[in-house]
Amino acid sequence: MSEIAEPGGGVGYAPRVWVQRIFAGQTGPVLVVVAALILIWYAGAIYLNAPQQIDRDRRAGIERSFIDFAAATYAQERPVLPAPHQVAAEIWKTTVEVKPTSKRSLVYHGWVTLASTLTGFGIGTLLGIVLAIGIVSSRTLDKSLMPWIITSQTIPILAIAPMIVVVLGSLNVAPIWAKGTVSAYLAFFPVAVGMVKGLRSPDPMLLDLMRTYSASPAQTMWKLRLPAAMPFLFASLKVAIAISLVGAIVGEMPTGARAGLGARLLSGSYYGQTVQIWSALLVAAFMAAILVTIVGLADRMVLRRMGVKA
C-alpha cells in the first residue's frame, strides 16, 4: 500500500488521515463508547464511594478539595464501586505478577472456567444439532420435543444449577462434567432452535428437485439441508458459547467451588473485596469476547470455503 504524504504530514500517514481511517470502520465508534463508559464509571465511583469517604474524613477531622476528595474515593481499600484503574491494577497483579498455576492467579481460575465452558459448549452443540435433525426428520419428534425444548428454558438457571451440580457430585461425577452440564443446558437451546430454522430454510423447489433425483432423506439432509443450515448454526454458536461461559460461572457459585471465576466472584462477595469481584467480572467478559470472536472467525472460514459470500 502506498503511503499518503499530506502537506505537513511528513513521511507516512498524517494524524488526520489516521483518525479518518479509524472512524471509517467500527474501531473509532467503539473507542468512543469505551471512553464514555470509563468516564461514567469514574463519575459513578465518586458518587457511590462518597458517603464512606465523607464519614472517614469527618471522623478524622479532614477537609479536602474536590480533587483530593475524588482521589481519596479512588484509593479506598474496599470501595463500593472500584475505579477502573484499581480494577486494571488488580488484573495486572493477578495475571502477570503471579504464576499462572497459583490459586491467586486469574489465569488459573479462568482456565478452570474455560475448561467447563468448552465441555458444556461441545455437549450442548452436539445435543442441539442431533435434536434439530430429529425434529426436522420426524413429525412426531417435532410435535413432542419442541414444546419441551422451549419449556426447558423457562426454568431459572440459578434454581436448577445447584441441583445439577449436587446430584452429579453425589454420583462422583467430576466437577468439570457437572459444571459442563449446566453450560450444556443453556447452550443446546439456541443451537437446536437455530438449526431447526436452518434445516427448514432450503427452497421448496430445491427439495422437490432432490425428490426428482430420488435422493434419500439422508442424502437430502447431508447435501442440501445441512449446508443451508450453516449460517444459522454459526449465528447460534455465537450465542451458545457466550451463555456456556455464563453457565460455567453459575455452576461454580452455589457449590462452594474453590477454583474458577465463579468461585472468585463468590469469595470476593464473602469478604467484601469489590476490586476482586470486578476484576473477575472483566476477565470473564474478555474471555467471552475472545470465544465469540473465535466462533466468528470459524464462521467466516467455513462459509468462505462453502462459497457463501458474507
Side-chain angles (χ1 to χ4, degrees):
M1 180 182 295
S2 61
E3 294 180 335
I4 300 174
E6 288 201 347
V11 178
Y13 295 116
R16 185 170 62 84
V17 177
W18 278 110
V19 173
Q20 289 175 347
R21 288 172 64 86
I22 290 173
F23 279 87
Q26 295 181 339
T27 306
V30 169
L31 290 177
V32 170
V33 172
V34 170
L37 290 175
I38 291 175
L39 287 175
I40 294 172
W41 190 346
Y42 269 112
I46 295 176
Y47 177 75
L48 292 175
N49 299 332
Q52 191 176 344
Q53 191 61 43
I54 290 172
D55 185 55
R56 288 182 181 178
D57 289 349
R58 186 174 61 245
R59 292 182 182 180
I62 299 175
E63 293 185 1
R64 302 175 187 267
S65 65
F66 176 76
I67 294 177
D68 289 341
F69 181 80
T73 60
Y74 295 154
Q76 292 179 0
E77 186 178 352
R78 294 183 179 182
V80 176
L81 178 63
H85 68 271
Q86 289 180 294
V87 178
E90 175 70 12
I91 292 175
W92 177 267
K93 186 175 71 175
T94 53
T95 55
V96 178
E97 295 183 358
V98 296
K99 292 182 179 179
T101 54
S102 170
K103 292 186 178 180
R104 295 175 54 201
S105 171
L106 277 178
V107 177
Y108 168 76
H109 291 285
W111 171 252
V112 172
T113 301
L114 180 63
S116 301
T117 299
L118 296 180
T119 302
F121 176 69
I123 296 172
T125 300
L126 183 61
L127 179 61
I129 293 174
V130 170
L131 286 174
I133 292 175
I135 288 170
V136 172
S137 303
S138 169
R139 190 170 178 80
T140 303
L141 291 178
D142 183 15
K143 289 186 175 181
S144 60
L145 282 182
M146 204 60 191
W148 288 108
I149 290 175
I150 296 172
T151 303
S152 69
Q153 300 303 304
T154 62
I155 304 173
I157 187 62
L158 288 175
I160 199 170
M163 290 189 291
I164 293 175
V165 176
V166 170
V167 169
L168 294 181
S170 67
L171 298 175
N172 294 323
V173 176
I176 186 175
W177 292 105
K179 292 181 289 184
T181 302
V182 178
S183 294
Y185 171 78
L186 293 178
F188 91 95
F189 178 72
V191 176
V193 173
M195 277 297 287
V196 167
K197 188 174 179 62
L199 293 173
R200 287 174 173 166
S201 65
D203 193 292
M205 292 183 65
L206 295 177
L207 294 172
D208 290 339
L209 183 62
M210 294 297 286
R211 281 191 285 270
T212 304
Y213 290 154
S214 300
S216 66
Q219 289 174 320
T220 302
M221 178 64 69
W222 181 251
K223 295 182 180 297
L224 179 60
R225 291 188 185 274
L226 281 176
M230 286 299 109
F232 296 86
L233 173 63
F234 279 103
S236 302
L237 290 181
K238 291 176 186 175
V239 178
I241 190 68
I243 60 175
S244 292
L245 179 61
V246 174
I249 292 174
V250 171
E252 291 167 348
M253 296 183 73
T255 55
R258 297 182 178 179
L261 293 177
R264 191 81 173 168
L265 290 169
L266 198 61
S267 64
S269 67
Y270 281 156
Y271 299 108
Q273 296 289 346
T274 51
V275 179
Q276 177 180 319
I277 295 173
W278 277 87
S279 61
L281 197 62
L282 287 188
V283 168
F286 183 65
M287 189 186 299
I290 292 176
L291 292 173
V292 172
T293 301
I294 292 173
V295 174
L297 292 175
D299 180 15
R300 291 184 183 180
M301 291 176 60
V302 171
L303 295 186
R304 187 180 301 164
R305 191 171 181 81
M306 292 172 62
V308 178
K309 294 183 179 179

